């Protein structure tokens, strides 16, 4: 059967700054998913979009076409409301782990379909796999049962959800077209809308360790995603949060689980608790639970009870001791002063080089590799004081990791300005 359009005409239209029609967009995404449009042609089109941008109608059409490329999920048969959060990714961002159980402890269902880490940012599934027995693959019927019974699930997004995005994202990754607002917004939102949640809060990270380094760009991305969600009938809000400094004091899969458990025990670092609680309040409000004292739910063990149920429901042992790496290396202060720089990207790349992350999606990760931060940004330190502990299973990695870490760790004479964590909100 003859095809409806010629992909070369579509690429030329966008290359020359024109607008693509709804039909053209629907066809090109479908034809690429079917293999009729080649990788080189989609790569050229992505680059044309990167340079020429898309208007709001085109972004809506592009998102819908990616949703239509696969199956959608539906949680309408549950007896409770559903809510979810998505982070655009950062260093030490383990918020999903305490957040799901915290919100579900209020009787709300939190179906979180997550991915694996790529590059210097970690993935939620890799982190949870540090818990002995825990499994990311949850069949749909079991997911519904867990959501109904205990309320929170973190599972691998099935291959059937927005398959066009999977193909396009892999291509963008190797053609320098990832950091493009219409392409990021449609990629994230196609998966979240297909997932079928009724409400969603987006944590859009801003800073060196994030996709978006500048506030204005991050705000534009957040607005685009919120609009896409609302247009599709998903009650959507966004927070813009700082990612110039790692979140919390631990980076790396198993280490981040340890820190999440500290939060669920009512402790943990202040920045991590602040973001977790703020996101939880928004999710609960959208699910109809107002004035929840989420700090108290962390302190009185309710959230911890939900965590234990969540881990057990997916085969994990919440009482198992988490493994620690066999090799460590400590970094000490070489002078007195204040920690004046603790750069998220430098530490993220350092942790990745220690083995916590992967370069290609088929690579394995070390569950115990990563970095512990003993002195946070702005803390007064004295010469010889321990600043960091690096963990790995392969000690030949220390040198390359330190090359990155040393570019982002500084001690100065002046205490740096107080760091603001939550920079803006779209509610
Ligand atoms: N995460 C996604 O799922 N897609 C993007 O384009 C960027 C981050």
């Amino acid at each position: 059967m003859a095809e409806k359009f010629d992909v070369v005409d579509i690429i030329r239209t966008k290359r020359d700054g024109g607008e693509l029609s709804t039909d053209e967009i629907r066809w090109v995404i479908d034809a690429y998913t079917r293999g009729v449009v080649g990788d080189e042609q989609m790569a050229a089109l992505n680059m044309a979009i990167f340079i020429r941008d898309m208007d709001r109608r085109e972004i809506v059409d592009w998102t819908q076409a990616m949703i239509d490329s696969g199956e959608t999920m539906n949680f309408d048969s549950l007896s409770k409301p559903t809510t979810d959060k998505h982070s655009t990714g950062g260093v030490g961002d383990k918020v999903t782990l305490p957040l799901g159980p915290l919100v579900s402890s209020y009787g709300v269902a939190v179906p979180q379909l997550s991915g694996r880490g790529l590059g210097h940012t970690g993935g939620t599934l890799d982190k949870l796999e540090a818990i002995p027995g825990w499994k990311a693959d949850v069949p749909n019927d079991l997911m519904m049962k867990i959501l109904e019974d205990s309320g929170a699930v973190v599972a691998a997004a099935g291959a059937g959800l927005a398959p066009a995005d999977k193909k396009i994202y892999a291509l963008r990754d190797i053609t320098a077209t990832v950091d493009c607002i219409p392409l990021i917004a449609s990629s994230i939102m196609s998966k979240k809308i297909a997932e079928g949640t009724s409400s969603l809060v987006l944590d859009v990270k801003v800073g060196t360790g994030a996709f978006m380094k500048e506030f204005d760009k991050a705000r534009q991305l957040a607005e685009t995603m919120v609009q896409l969600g609302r247009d599709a009938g998903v009650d959507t809000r966004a927070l813009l949060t700082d990612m110039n400094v790692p979140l919390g004091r631990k980076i790396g899969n198993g280490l981040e689980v340890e820190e999440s458990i500290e939060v669920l025990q009512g402790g943990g670092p202040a920045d991590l608790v602040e973001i977790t609680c703020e996101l939880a309040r928004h999710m609960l409000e959208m699910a109809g639970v107002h004035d929840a004292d989420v700090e108290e739910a962390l302190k009185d063990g309710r959230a911890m009870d939900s965590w234990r149920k969540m881990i057990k429901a997916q085969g994990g042992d919440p009482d198992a001791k988490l493994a620690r790496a066999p090799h460590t290396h400590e970094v000490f202060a070489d002078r007195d002063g204040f920690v004046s720089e603790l750069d998220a990207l430098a530490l993220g790349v350092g942790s990745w080089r220690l083995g916590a992350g992967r370069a290609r999606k088929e690579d394995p990760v070390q569950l115990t590799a990563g970095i512990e931060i003993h002195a946070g940004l702005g803390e007064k330190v004295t010469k010889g004081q321990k600043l960091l502990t690096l963990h790995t299973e392969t000690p030949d990695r220390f040198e390359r990791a330190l090359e990155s870490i040393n570019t982002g760790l500084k001690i100065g004479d002046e205490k740096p300005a107080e760091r603001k964590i939550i920079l803006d909100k779209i509610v």
Side-chain angles (χ1 to χ4, degrees):
M1 198 182 82
E3 292 292 332
K4 206 166 164 189
F5 294 101
D6 183 341
V7 65
V8 179
D9 293 336
I10 292 179
I11 298 168
R12 189 182 298 112
T13 301
K14 195 35 91 183
R15 182 199 68 187
D16 294 343
E19 221 182 278
L20 301 180
S21 69
T22 303
D23 273 356
E24 284 173 320
I25 290 174
R26 278 200 194 134
W27 176 80
V28 80
I29 300 268
D30 176 56
Y32 180 58
T33 312
R34 287 186 284 123
V36 168
V37 164
D39 281 346
E40 64 288 355
Q41 293 169 316
M42 184 52 90
L45 182 58
N46 282 339
M47 187 57 83
I49 292 168
F50 185 98
I51 292 167
R52 294 293 194 169
D53 211 349
M54 287 202 281
D55 70 16
R56 171 144 173 224
R57 199 263 314 145
E58 288 175 293
I59 302 174
V60 170
D61 289 342
W62 190 271
T63 308
Q64 191 58 49
M66 293 211 289
I67 296 169
D68 294 342
S69 73
E71 63 195 33
T72 52
M73 297 190 60
N74 189 320
F75 296 112
D76 289 351
S77 62
L78 290 178
S79 66
K80 5 171 147 172
T82 51
T83 185
D84 192 8
K85 86 106 198 196
H86 179 85
S87 158
T88 56
V91 178
D93 182 2
K94 71 278 293 168
V95 169
T96 293
L97 276 56
L99 181 65
L102 172 58
V103 172
S104 73
S105 72
Y106 285 86
V108 172
V110 190
Q112 306 205 85
L113 300 188
S114 298
R116 298 192 180 274
L118 195 62
H120 72 276
T121 61
T124 301
L125 303 180
D126 295 327
K127 296 174 197 187
L128 283 166
E129 277 171 357
I131 301 173
W134 187 88
K135 296 274 173 297
D137 289 316
V138 183
N140 283 358
D141 49 346
L142 179 60
M143 187 182 300
M144 296 302 269
K145 184 172 165 359
I146 301 174
L147 288 170
E148 195 61 57
D149 294 349
S150 50
V153 172
V154 180
L161 219 59
D165 174 65
K166 287 203 177 61
K167 242 180 129 178
I168 294 174
Y169 190 64
L171 195 59
R172 286 167 55 212
D173 207 30
I174 54 167
T175 55
T177 47
V178 169
D179 46 344
C180 165
I181 289 175
L183 294 178
I184 297 177
S186 54
S187 166
I188 292 175
M189 292 308 291
S190 63
K191 286 173 286 202
K192 286 291 146 183
I193 296 166
E195 177 196 295
T197 182
S198 13
S199 63
L200 173 69
V201 57
L202 298 159
D203 182 3
V204 179
K205 300 284 181 200
V206 193
T208 61
F211 274 124
M212 295 288 139
K213 317 280 178 210
E214 295 147 32
F215 178 82
D216 290 347
K217 283 246 163 131
R219 168 98 203 174
Q220 204 185 325
L221 174 64
E223 281 168 6
T224 307
M225 290 196 289
V226 167
Q227 211 55 62
L228 279 172
R230 290 179 183 170
D231 284 353
V234 181
D235 190 1
T236 310
R237 301 181 181 187
L239 301 186
L240 283 100
T241 64
D242 177 71
M243 191 29 74
N244 285 303
V245 177
L247 190 57
R249 295 291 187 102
K250 293 184 181 176
I251 308 167
N253 302 303
L255 291 168
E256 294 193 32
V257 174
E258 279 183 19
E259 193 166 62
S260 303
I261 292 173
E262 288 166 28
V263 172
L264 289 158
Q265 286 168 336
D271 58 350
L272 177 59
V273 173
E274 182 181 342
I275 295 192
T276 305
C277 289
E278 183 69 17
L279 287 165
R281 272 188 289 271
H282 287 286
M283 290 165 79
L284 287 167
E285 265 177 36
M286 287 189 286
V289 181
H290 299 278
D291 304 321
D293 186 349
V294 290
E295 282 83 0
E296 189 51 32
L298 287 174
K299 292 212 170 76
D300 67 14
R302 259 179 290 164
M304 179 56 105
D305 290 345
S306 298
W307 161 265
R308 295 176 60 81
K309 278 192 211 155
M310 175 177 104
I311 297 303
K312 277 192 199 156
Q314 290 178 236
D317 176 0
D319 298 312
K321 200 167 156 33
L322 297 172
R324 276 281 178 133
H327 303 279
T328 55
H329 174 95
E330 290 173 339
V331 175
F332 299 97
D334 56 4
R335 52 166 290 192
D336 293 353
F338 294 93
V339 178
S340 58
E341 198 183 319
L342 194 62
D343 182 73
L345 181 60
L347 270 76
V349 170
S351 172
W352 174 59
R353 288 183 181 170
L354 289 167
R358 53 171 71 77
R360 288 169 308 155
K361 64 178 190 316
E362 51 287 347
D363 291 347
V365 293
Q366 293 186 13
L367 296 173
T368 59
I371 302 174
E372 274 179 282
I373 301 167
H374 304 293
L377 187 75
E379 216 164 289
K380 195 166 191 296
V381 293
T382 53
K383 188 172 173 182
Q385 184 175 332
K386 191 161 69 176
L387 302 179
L388 305 175
T389 304
L390 279 44
H391 299 244
T392 187
E393 291 160 23
T394 36
D396 55 340
R397 291 169 177 263
F398 283 132
E399 195 179 326
R400 290 267 295 137
L402 283 164
E403 276 171 27
S404 173
I405 292 164
N406 287 334
T407 63
L409 177 63
K410 300 218 164 48
I411 297 175
D413 294 326
E414 308 285 327
K415 190 172 161 67
E418 206 58 45
R419 176 176 162 231
K420 202 170 164 215
I421 315 289
I422 297 172
L423 306 172
D424 205 355
K425 298 176 196 182
I426 302 175
V427 295

